[in-house]
Amino acid sequence: MDVNQIKRILVVGAGNMGHQISLACALAGFKTNCCDSSKTQLKKAEAFVQSYLPGRVAKGKLTEEAAKAAAKNLRFYSNLEEAAAEADFVIEAVTEKLDLKREVFKQLDRLCPKHAILATNSSFFVSSLLARVTERPGQVCNMHFFNPALVMKCVEVVQGPHTSAETAAAAMALAKKLGKVPVLLHKEIYGFLVNRILARITEEALFLLDTGVASAEDIDSAVVNALGHPMGPFRLMDLTGIDLSYHISMERYRRTGDPKDKPSPTVVEKYVKGEWGRKTGRGFYRYDDDK
Ligand SMILES: NC(=O)c1ccc[n+]([C@@H]2O[C@H](COP(=O)([O-])OP(=O)(O)OC[C@H]3O[C@@H](n4cnc5c(N)ncnc54)[C@H](O)[C@@H]3O)[C@@H](O)[C@H]2O)c1
């Protein structure tokens, strides 16, 4: 499909990533349907949009007209059938669980128009794990955004062995239309580019914390002030969600059976306590005042 044929985008999942990907699409002029099975999550996403757009206008970053147009472009749904009916391009951003994603892809394949491309924003699952439950494997690929999706420029597009060149090209072109700087992976590889590199850093940071070498604050400070990263690995985990870190490590452990791949003791403790980072008000840091 040519990128110019993409008029309506469906984003499935209105969580951490989905609500911002939806708004990025709406701001770029696409009719955008954002669908989540949780009404609470949809309300949160709508509230975000209602405060984000006027905030950008007040800061002079967006015109009043552009804000109005974006708000008009974006609709929220709890019913996937309604949301999927006219989609040309789908970005799936539901919880990082393979069975759930497979189920969602099965439904999307049934509900979306035949020409629609189905992309997953999964952080780790390659799209061949999802393509095989659909009747349109050539139109399935990874399109991996970074958090916060409205800000971060990188998008990793992964062309699986099943993905047609046309689909990969459309995903790359769409990312550019969203104002992103996409990179194309010609092969599927667990963790893609960025998360493979980040995983090595995070793993070492957790080892240094778990063995009492330094505090989370000092490890973050060293990474920021010596390596020039905008934030350290612990603040980043708070932002992306410690529950996500837990699920990713568990998934890797299930795959490899290697105890080294189990989540670190600190991550397990925080996961069990429900201290998942910013989204729960507490992770490695506290977010009492939402800052
Ligand atoms: N958090 C990050 O920093 C980050 C970055 C890049 C990619 N990702 C990926 O994006 C995806 C979403 O991550 P997130 O952090 O936004 O998770 P999240 O937990 O914040 O949001 C997931 C959303 O999916 C919804 N959901 C679950 N089942 C659903 C269904 N059947 N239909 C519709 N909605 C459903 C949940 O209600 C929830 O709102 C994951 O695949 C993750 O790996 C996350």
Side-chain angles (χ1 to χ4, degrees), residues 15-17 36-37 41 94 96 101 121 123 144-145 147 240:
N16 239 336
M17 295 301 293
D36 200 293
S37 50
Q41 207 63 47
V94 303
E96 186 77 348
K101 286 186 188 285
N121 181 49
S123 303
H144 182 223
F145 292 76
N147 192 355
T240 54

Side-chain angles (χ1 to χ4, degrees), residues 12-18 35-38 41 80 92-97 100-101 104 107 120-124 144-147 195 239-241 243-244 248 279:
V12 191
N16 239 336
M17 295 301 293
C35 178
D36 200 293
S37 50
S38 152
Q41 207 63 47
L80 188 62
E92 169 276 311
V94 303
T95 319
E96 186 77 348
K97 289 183 183 160
L100 171 67
K101 286 186 188 285
V104 169
Q107 290 178 39
T120 175
N121 181 49
S122 171
S123 303
F124 287 90
H144 182 223
F145 292 76
F146 290 83
N147 192 355
N195 278 340
L239 180 70
T240 54
D243 55 326
L244 180 64
I248 287 167
K279 63 170 108 173

Side-chain angles (χ1 to χ4, degrees), residues 155-175:
V155 173
E156 294 172 316
V157 173
V158 187
Q159 182 175 6
H162 53 280
T163 311
S164 74
E166 200 188 355
T167 295
M172 290 290 286
L174 174 63

